[in-house]
Amino acid sequence: MAADSPRDAAGLRIVVVGATGNVGTSVVRALAAEPAVESVLGLARRVPRWSCARTTWAAVDVTEDDLSGHFTGADAVIHLAWLFQPTRDPVTTWRNNVLGSIRVFEAVAAAGVGTLVYASSVGAYSPGPKDRQVDESWPTHGWPDAAYCREKAYLERFLDGFTGTHPRVRVVRLRPGFIFQRAAACAQSRLFAGFTPPRALASKRLFPVVPDLPGLRFQVLHADDVADAYRRAVLRPVAGPFNLAAEPVVDAALLGDLLGARVVRLPAGPPRALLSGAWHLRLLPTSPHLFDAVLRLPLMDTARARQELGWAPRHSAQDALEDFLRGLREHTGLPTAPLRPPR
């Protein structure tokens, strides 16, 4: 049994909701390799052709299908399912992300599951400092103009009430920075840029210039390190929120070194106007409000995760970004609907 597994944890049955995406596939792999876990049930809208040891699959839509039946007898439910797109249709994302998540939480309580681990995000945090790191007590009201942040913040408020109403459910909220890995690179490019760059283009310097914008400091980590945090959250008797991020903090200088690009100091206005124009002309799927949020997100202190989860990332922030760029160059992916490689 793993060193950080509780003595009574043998034979755990875990359900992962949203098991076929960037984080979900990594979480499934981490759980399948954990001796204390007996079985994993992966739920997704579309059953993948991808397989993993001790894992079975079921097709489920969190907005309308029965969930309690899948949760009955489980020791823990990990909820990861989330729609980033369409940003032009916030009603659709709200229905899936907020109302669907509430259905998951209520089904956990109805099925008598003892542990709920929920994928919150740095995006849930209110605007904060870029010159110091904040702990989990920083307000979680999000950036109101960005749908992603509104939805994450709303679910933080819902879980505040849920933990009081259902004290027998141990609720863990993981708040990671931006998550990257090679297998998800092409999928993330489609989500945020609208296309996957051809291999020939991705092998060259895509960005000859990196703008050094006020507030352009953010945190990233590798999907495998996030998955390890989920595994530990299931096994350890902890509750509440945990910040997750790798060092160093990403800024324009680090991006310039990584991309072999020249760093140019710019105000945020011109790039924001360009992004907004492209979004309104439907040339890009990424809302300019998400750009606004990134420039305002606080930097997170990860001391609590290190101390109470015993968690530490094995990959640096630069490692995670390099793995992402490698995935773009190689057009890698997985045979799941969210992570399918380009044809």
Side-chain angles (χ1 to χ4, degrees):
M1 185 175 293
D4 59 354
S5 303
R7 294 181 180 178
D8 59 349
L12 292 176
R13 298 174 62 191
I14 314 299
V15 180
V16 181
V17 184
T20 57
N22 179 22
V23 179
T25 51
S26 295
V27 168
V28 167
R29 282 195 300 262
L31 293 174
E34 168 55 52
V37 174
E38 178 181 309
S39 66
V40 178
L41 172 60
L43 303 183
R45 285 183 295 164
R46 291 152 291 188
V47 173
R49 290 184 287 112
W50 179 69
S51 61
C52 198
R54 288 184 282 175
T55 302
T56 57
W57 300 94
V60 167
D61 185 333
V62 296
T63 65
E64 57 186 33
D65 292 336
D66 171 71
L67 298 170
S68 297
H70 293 290
F71 295 168
T72 299
D75 296 286
V77 170
I78 297 174
H79 179 47
L80 307 169
W82 198 268
L83 283 181
F84 288 93
Q85 296 291 353
T87 58
R88 303 175 197 283
D89 185 2
V91 173
T92 294
T93 59
W94 182 272
R95 181 171 178 265
N96 184 88
N97 299 340
V98 174
L99 302 184
S101 293
I102 290 172
R103 292 186 80 244
V104 170
F105 303 155
E106 291 177 340
V108 164
V113 180
T115 298
L116 167 66
V117 186
Y118 160 65
S120 188
S121 167
V122 62
Y125 280 121
S126 303
K130 298 287 190 177
D131 58 350
R132 62 183 177 89
Q133 297 179 339
V134 303
D135 65 17
E136 288 82 358
S137 65
W138 193 260
T140 51
H141 302 303
W143 177 249
D145 288 345
Y148 175 83
C149 300
R150 284 198 307 270
E151 292 160 0
K152 290 294 186 184
Y154 188 93
L155 289 173
E156 290 281 351
R157 298 291 72 72
F158 183 88
L159 285 174
D160 290 343
F162 180 90
T163 55
T165 306
H166 302 285
R168 293 188 178 181
V169 181
R170 180 174 67 91
V171 179
V172 183
R173 315 179 202 186
L174 299 186
R175 297 173 182 161
F178 299 103
I179 304 166
F180 296 102
Q181 65 164 316
R182 186 185 315 180
C186 292
Q188 289 175 321
S189 180
R190 290 193 297 267
L191 276 176
F192 297 107
F195 69 99
T196 300
R199 284 194 180 105
L201 178 61
S203 65
K204 299 177 182 178
R205 293 182 177 178
L206 279 173
F207 304 98
V209 173
V210 171
D212 184 4
L213 308 176
L216 186 63
R217 301 193 78 223
F218 58 94
Q219 292 165 297
V220 308
L221 69 168
H222 196 281
D224 288 345
D225 288 327
V226 178
D228 182 55
Y230 278 98
R231 179 186 67 85
R232 291 170 183 270
V234 166
L235 297 175
R236 294 200 169 199
V238 298
F242 292 88
N243 293 337
L244 303 175
E247 296 292 339
V249 172
V250 178
D251 58 14
L254 188 151
L255 292 173
D257 289 343
L258 191 65
L259 298 169
R262 186 164 60 96
V263 176
V264 177
R265 182 72 175 173
L266 286 176
R272 205 274 184 194
L274 183 63
L275 178 60
S276 179
W279 187 71
H280 285 290
L281 290 172
R282 298 183 177 270
L283 300 177
L284 279 179
T286 304
S287 164
H289 302 301
L290 192 58
F291 171 85
D292 298 335
V294 170
L295 297 184
R296 291 164 174 82
L297 294 176
L299 300 181
M300 300 181 295
D301 184 300
T302 61
R304 184 173 189 238
R306 295 171 186 269
Q307 294 165 5
E308 297 187 31
L309 286 178
W311 176 85
R314 294 183 297 110
H315 304 83
S316 69
Q318 186 163 348
D319 292 338
L321 290 171
E322 287 177 341
D323 207 35
F324 168 81
L325 292 173
R326 192 175 301 115
L328 281 185
R329 291 192 298 269
E330 298 172 358
H331 277 196
T332 51
L334 286 174
T336 73
L339 303 186
R340 68 185 187 280
R343 296 177 180 176

